[in-house]
Amino acid sequence: MTYAPGSPKSLRAQNRDRVLSALLRQGSMTQVQLARVTGLSPASVSNLVRELADSGRIEVESTTSSGRAANLIRLATDNRVVVAVDVDHQRIRIAVSDANRTILAERSSPLVEGHHVDDDLDLALAMAHSCVADADHTWTDVALLALAVPAPIDMRNGVLGSSSILPGWAHIAVGEELQRRAGIEVFVENDANLGAWGEYINGAGRGSQTMAYLKVGSGIGCGLVLNGVLHHGAGGMAGEIGHTTVDEHGPICRCGNRGCLESFASGPVLLRALQQSHPEIHDVAGVITFAHMGDPGTRRVLADAGRAVGVAVANLCNLINPDRVVVGGEMAQAGDVFLDPLREAVARFAVPSVVFPDLIVGSGLGDSSELVGAVDLAAARLTATA
Ligand SMILES: [Zn+2]
């Protein structure tokens, strides 16, 4: 509906949208918080809340805040839920959420070595069904399924690009395939993009405007939030920082180029470097455990990886001048053993004016950034269609 600009009705409609989008963006809050977030007067908020509650758009619950009676406002939800599915090389994770981003149930299952995309999709769907049942819902309540994949996605056709993490998933329109099997709408998003969005909404990127999120693990992905908007690039391929050149004479990368960042700093590279000295270590978690015990060899490979990632991040900072760089993924769980060399490299190679204290921080959501981002975007779509 459109109103003549400047008319009282137009202003009221705008204020109503401000209230609804604040609730959509930040979840439930008290009437006082709502006034603060929207910048509207308490009296206006009170009127709008009454109007929106009467029309069934929001729900009001009596509660207490700082010991005083207060009204807790949330967007009205019907019985619909969303399912978020996060797939990486080791496991599938599922979360079921309502439109207010309340996680109702979660499940996780390991993926066996050499798994096939058909089996992965069957397993994801079976887990999703169980998780929806765990949440006391039925499959008919599921409005949308959000799928996080560790691969770039061609936005023109939904086809996944090559992925070091799920090689069997490359060149497949996996969203379309899952939608056919699930019988409900599916949207697919790159996992680093969802991780970026999760950290931006509810993690270490909160309050940021121009933010980069790095997911460093089996591969190296990057999601960008520019002026509060998730940045996909022209074809959905933005953020392929893992394939920026570190050494043009370096080893051949799976992408066909030489000396990409992933050839120096991803999980498999670290494990290869430790093969002879640490044959008992088989995964990145093992590398981190040894490093935390003070083992010099594992600390050295993590530091080298941090430095290599830092050189790429320095270039990124020069290009987009972020106010926050959030580093997540399995490798970031090493903490300062990995992050300090990364910070030092950024300080050394970026122009000084783009580097400031606390620019580079570890993930605020641990290994849940991607699920939080997927739930948020799915719930936003759900509410937008309510
Ligand atoms: Zn490459």
Side-chain angles (χ1 to χ4, degrees), residues 242-244 253-263:
H243 299 284
T244 49
C253 177
R254 65 188 169 85
C255 74
N257 286 332
R258 256 189 197 282
C260 295
L261 177 60
E262 273 192 15
S263 315

Side-chain angles (χ1 to χ4, degrees), residues 115-236:
H115 52 93
H116 188 266
V117 61
D118 270 328
D119 302 329
D120 297 342
L121 292 178
D122 285 344
L123 175 62
L125 208 48
M127 286 172 67
H129 274 274
S130 305
C131 205
V132 167
D134 292 346
D136 289 328
H137 279 267
T138 62
W139 195 248
T140 52
D141 297 335
V142 181
L144 191 63
L145 202 150
L147 175 65
V149 290
I153 303 153
D154 187 331
M155 291 187 78
R156 292 163 300 186
N157 53 21
V159 173
L160 302 196
S162 68
S163 161
S164 56
I165 299 154
L166 293 171
W169 286 47
H171 316 303
I172 292 173
V174 75
E176 219 170 81
E177 183 55 34
L178 187 58
Q179 185 159 315
R180 193 180 60 73
R181 295 175 190 220
I184 49 171
E185 188 187 343
V186 172
F187 87 91
V188 187
E189 181 61 90
N190 170 265
D191 63 347
N193 283 355
L194 289 172
W197 191 251
E199 291 291 338
Y200 171 72
I201 286 295
N202 218 8
R206 272 179 88 151
S208 167
Q209 276 303 304
T210 300
M211 192 201 95
Y213 168 78
L214 270 87
K215 185 177 183 185
V216 190
S218 304
I220 302 173
C222 174
L224 301 170
V225 178
L226 305 180
N227 296 321
V229 176
L230 195 54
H231 179 73
H232 290 95

